[in-house]
Amino acid sequence: MNADPQASGARATARLFGRVRALVAALSALLLGAMPASAAPGDDPLRSIMWTEMKAQFFADEPVVFDERVKVQVPRVVEDQAQVPITADARALDGVKKLVVFADLNPIQHVATLDVMKASPFIALRMKVEQATPVRAAAQTADGVWHIGSVFLDAAGGGCSAPAMARKDADWSQTLGHAQGKLYRELDGSVRVRFRVRHPMDTGLARDNTPSFFIEKLDLRSEQGEQLATLDLREPVSEDPTLTVLVRMPLNDSVLTILGRDNQGEEYRSIIPASWRQSATSDPPARNAE
Amino acid sequence: MPVTIDKPGHSFSDATGSPEALSRRAALQRLARIAALPMIAAAFDISHAAPLTYDLKPVGIGEGVWVLYGVPEPIERSNGGAIANITIFDTRDGAVIVDTGPSKRYGVALQALARELTGKSVVRVYLTHFHPDHVFGNQGFEAAAIAAPQGVIDGLTSLGEDFASAMYHAAGDWMRGTQLMLPGKVVADGVEEIGGRRFALHALSGHTPSDLAILEEVSGVLVAGDLVFLDRAPTTPHADLELWRASLDRLGAIKAAHVVPGHGPVEGAPRGLEQTRDWLGMVEEKIRAAFERGLTINEAMQEPLPEWVGKIALARYEYERSVMHFFPRLEAGQWPRVDSKN
């Protein structure tokens, strides 16, 4: 007789789980092309079956380290697989040039890339997830090294293959490109940009066969047209992208311009006022008056 | 868990793990997105999969009135989703039940328990609202006996399948055989007399677009549904706080000997109404302030909560969920338009 039927059942289930996981790994490898034979899983703290593939895809031969100073925040419970809020923050590192966000087990792994320029290495957005997955932020410093922060996101799944909510609404095209947003003052003098633009962000993977249609570029500019930061967005960014970035605006600027483009060539333009600087535009700055 | 409710909860008998739970979950992970789901916890621990029997423990709260207490937890494999309170009334003509629990398995056990307690069959089932922990036991009963306001039926019709998927993900094999089953009878404000009892129905809203509260006038028992939570943090995936507060006002005007909250202990005093109102005010204020400071959703989730909520189970968990519910509404509703044609 089995003394502990529950434990035995659990072991059987765990064995089965292990087999299923191995099968999934094998299938994933087949679907995505053979994994490089030489690359070892390394010391991925999440032991993701996709890490080797991710490393090859995003970093090729560039040096990579796992670094807890790169923070990724996700909710502990996912309310909506199509709108999972994440924040990637590499401000603890100096000299970050690029910040890449990706999710190992999404059908499209790349979520967004921030070209830092005159921004802080920080981005918040909402993304779709197809299943529970590691979510990573990779920050490249001036020496070329990629610093990876990781977190595991549990979720039921289906966010990438569900049609956009707007597709249920016959009038979605009427609001395409409508944008809302606000600038906020940060304590360190930089400016926090929070911005939302109406767009279905179709992945091309939806069950209703809608082709991919998404905003792929956002370009943040000063009043003089200088690039402050650029953002590449990919299909996993949620419908009606809602983003937060931190930029250093020139001191005399009272507005920030955001130029956008989607993968069908449609262009979008938004101008967001810095309300606390608005009065300065009517009066010349004090030092110029002398 | 900071505090647990000091009332008898469920305990479950052991059973062996079932491989079917796994294949079902794997299949269900492919299913539809789950819009705004209530109470889904990280449920990846497979080591205690599928104990298969709900051990229902009725607690008498009056002559011929019993409550089955839900546990103050998220929906998890360890509790089978049995987190909501269920009420059973004995009447001369048969048993009357309010809410049916999270699964077919629960509904079938509930039906058997009601028959055992009253010696009669179930003649009426009321649903307080459309959330899955309250309605997925419907299959234990005849559709014609199940009554709810039209708004509950509409909500189940549009969201029921997504709720089912989410429940399978969160509760696993407990859900076996569970399907959406719609009520067969529509009710509105009014009184139903059944076997010597008078059920005064109050069609309200705020926790969801359609909430039903029921005062049984003979016993003085007010079944408030999820308009009232006590010592367990309220959930807000479909909430309209203004309507919710108006409903609390209406409930406060009802004289009741006992208030059965949707989650938490039955009490005579209106503590549940007050605590629910305080919580909603706190959450609204916190989230609004975080939004106005320009915080991201993830940053807003980390805001400190006032000390008084320390005694409320799942306070931080539900606060975090509420941030996800309300932030997008604030962004869409409060930020000025900034797109420009030039």
Side-chain angles (χ1 to χ4, degrees):
Chain A
M1 285 297 289
N2 196 328
D4 188 351
Q6 188 173 10
S8 152
R11 275 195 301 275
T13 312
R15 275 197 303 276
L16 182 64
F17 187 51
R19 282 202 292 275
V20 170
R21 204 158 48 181
L23 184 65
V24 168
L27 284 172
S28 304
L30 276 175
L31 290 169
L32 290 158
M35 287 197 264
S38 60
D43 41 6
D44 172 20
L46 301 180
R47 298 175 183 279
S48 164
I49 56 167
M50 289 293 287
W51 172 247
T52 307
E53 166 60 26
M54 294 296 96
K55 186 168 179 290
Q57 178 179 330
F58 288 102
F59 314 115
D61 296 328
E62 295 173 330
V64 172
V65 294
F66 289 98
D67 190 332
E68 290 181 355
R69 290 174 295 175
V70 180
K71 304 281 184 210
V72 187
Q73 295 172 358
V74 299
R76 64 170 133 166
V77 51
V78 167
E79 288 292 295
D80 181 349
Q81 278 78 353
Q83 294 276 346
V84 180
I86 66 149
T87 297
D89 183 356
R91 287 177 293 176
L93 298 178
D94 289 327
V96 174
K97 301 185 294 184
K98 243 179 206 193
L99 186 63
V100 179
V101 178
F102 62 96
D104 297 21
L105 297 181
N106 255 9
I108 300 167
Q109 292 94 16
H110 187 189
V111 179
T113 295
L114 173 71
D115 224 320
V116 173
M117 299 178 187
K118 300 204 163 177
S120 300
F122 175 98
I123 181 171
L125 50 78
R126 297 204 273 279
M127 64 176 285
K128 300 160 222 173
V129 294
E130 188 62 14
Q131 63 178 89
T133 177
V135 179
R136 320 250 191 197
Q140 190 178 34
T141 42
D143 56 6
V145 175
W146 288 97
H147 301 257
I148 318 288
S150 307
V151 68
F152 189 79
L153 175 77
D154 187 23
C160 289
S161 52
M165 291 293 277
R167 294 294 178 189
K168 294 177 187 164
D169 174 4
D171 287 336
W172 66 270
S173 62
Q174 300 299 310
T175 56
L176 183 73
H178 285 196
Q180 294 171 277
K182 199 173 166 183
L183 303 183
Y184 301 81
R185 261 189 290 193
E186 287 285 290
L187 289 173
D188 66 359
S190 66
V191 172
R192 175 175 286 233
V193 186
R194 300 208 65 222
F195 176 71
R196 169 180 191 257
V197 55
R198 305 293 302 277
H199 202 285
M201 299 298 282
D202 293 308
T203 59
L205 305 175
R207 295 184 292 274
D208 61 3
N209 294 322
T210 307
S212 78
F213 179 42
F214 60 97
I215 292 182
E216 59 184 9
K217 196 82 171 180
L218 291 174
D219 193 350
L220 282 65
R221 299 201 174 208
S222 74
E223 282 193 57
Q224 300 303 317
E226 181 194 11
Q227 280 190 324
L228 302 176
T230 64
L231 262 168
D232 291 301
L233 306 182
R234 302 291 296 173
E235 294 92 328
V237 173
S238 298
E239 179 178 3
D240 298 342
T242 305
L243 302 147
T244 308
V245 291
L246 309 172
V247 296
R248 288 188 299 282
M249 271 170 68
L251 282 173
N252 291 330
D253 277 15
S254 58
V255 298
L256 177 91
T257 299
I258 300 181
L259 304 175
R261 188 185 69 231
D262 67 30
N263 67 331
Q264 294 186 10
E266 188 73 33
E267 295 190 335
Y268 307 92
R269 177 192 180 88
S270 296
I271 297 177
I272 315 183
S275 56
W276 68 93
R277 291 183 180 180
Q278 291 292 295
S279 56
T281 55
S282 51
D283 301 316
R287 63 175 181 277
N288 291 349
E290 287 178 7
Chain B
M1 204 71 12
V3 167
T4 54
I5 291 175
D6 186 21
K7 288 278 181 180
H10 299 288
S11 62
F12 302 110
S13 60
D14 292 337
T16 53
S18 159
E20 196 175 325
L22 180 66
S23 57
R24 188 186 292 283
R25 184 181 70 189
L28 282 155
Q29 283 182 357
R30 312 301 304 174
L31 280 181
R33 62 183 287 271
I34 47 167
L37 272 168
M39 293 160 280
I40 303 306
F44 239 66
D45 183 358
I46 200 153
S47 63
H48 52 274
L52 295 176
T53 311
Y54 292 100
D55 185 12
L56 305 182
K57 295 241 169 62
V59 177
I61 59 166
E63 182 82 37
V65 189
W66 299 268
V67 168
L68 304 173
Y69 282 107
V71 291
E73 295 169 4
I75 293 166
E76 288 173 346
R77 271 146 217 264
S78 56
N79 57 38
I83 65 167
N85 293 340
I86 309 295
T87 312
I88 302 170
F89 293 92
D90 187 14
T91 82
R92 279 200 310 270
D93 294 344
V96 174
I97 290 177
V98 184
D99 286 343
T100 61
S103 63
K104 177 184 184 185
R105 199 183 297 271
Y106 190 101
V108 168
L110 175 60
Q111 193 269 356
L113 174 69
R115 182 179 284 276
E116 187 187 314
L117 286 171
T118 65
K120 303 166 202 130
S121 57
V122 175
V123 292
R124 172 63 75 227
V125 176
Y126 296 111
L127 303 181
T128 59
H129 63 296
F130 65 56
H131 281 159
D133 47 327
H134 298 260
V135 301
F136 273 121
N138 286 2
Q139 285 164 287
F141 306 92
E142 301 283 329
I146 305 175
Q150 187 62 47
V152 172
I153 296 169
D154 293 345
L156 279 174
T157 304
S158 64
L159 293 173
E161 294 299 335
D162 287 347
F163 285 162
S165 301
M167 287 296 290
Y168 273 94
H169 176 71
D173 197 49
W174 289 97
M175 300 302 294
R176 191 188 302 214
T178 302
Q179 288 174 357
L180 174 63
M181 177 173 159
L182 294 175
K185 183 178 165 64
V186 180
V187 292
D189 276 320
V191 177
E192 276 204 313
E193 294 193 32
I194 301 173
R197 288 198 188 268
R198 287 173 53 83
F199 295 92
L201 309 179
H202 298 266
L204 302 169
S205 62
H207 174 66
T208 69
S210 178
D211 298 295
L212 179 67
I214 300 154
L215 174 69
E216 199 289 293
E217 295 178 353
V218 175
S219 60
V221 170
L222 173 62
V223 185
D226 279 7
L227 290 168
V228 176
F229 283 71
L230 183 53
D231 297 340
R232 194 277 189 211
T235 67
T236 59
H238 304 97
D240 179 317
L241 298 185
E242 221 164 290
L243 293 174
W244 194 335
R245 280 189 277 259
S247 291
L248 287 171
D249 287 342
R250 285 193 47 193
L251 291 178
I254 294 172
K255 273 198 173 13
H258 309 277
V259 177
V260 183
H263 301 259
V266 175
E267 288 191 2
R271 196 166 68 92
L273 276 71
E274 288 162 12
Q275 195 186 80
T276 301
R277 186 189 299 277
D278 289 347
W279 173 273
L280 298 179
M282 182 279 292
V283 161
E284 186 175 39
E285 200 176 305
K286 277 261 159 216
I287 292 174
R288 176 108 198 175
F291 169 74
E292 283 173 357
R293 282 162 54 206
L295 300 191
T296 72
I297 287 184
N298 306 96
E299 290 167 335
M301 284 183 184
Q302 293 165 34
E303 288 289 284
L305 297 181
E307 206 171 313
W308 66 266
V309 306
K311 64 181 181 193
I312 298 175
L314 300 177
R316 173 141 302 270
Y317 177 79
E318 292 299 346
Y319 165 74
E320 290 175 1
R321 295 184 65 215
S322 291
V323 171
M324 287 188 276
H325 304 148
F326 293 122
F327 241 67
R329 297 189 207 174
L330 288 168
E331 291 160 350
Q334 302 293 317
W335 281 339
R337 279 282 289 278
V338 295
D339 49 297
S340 144
K341 284 282 166 219
N342 306 312

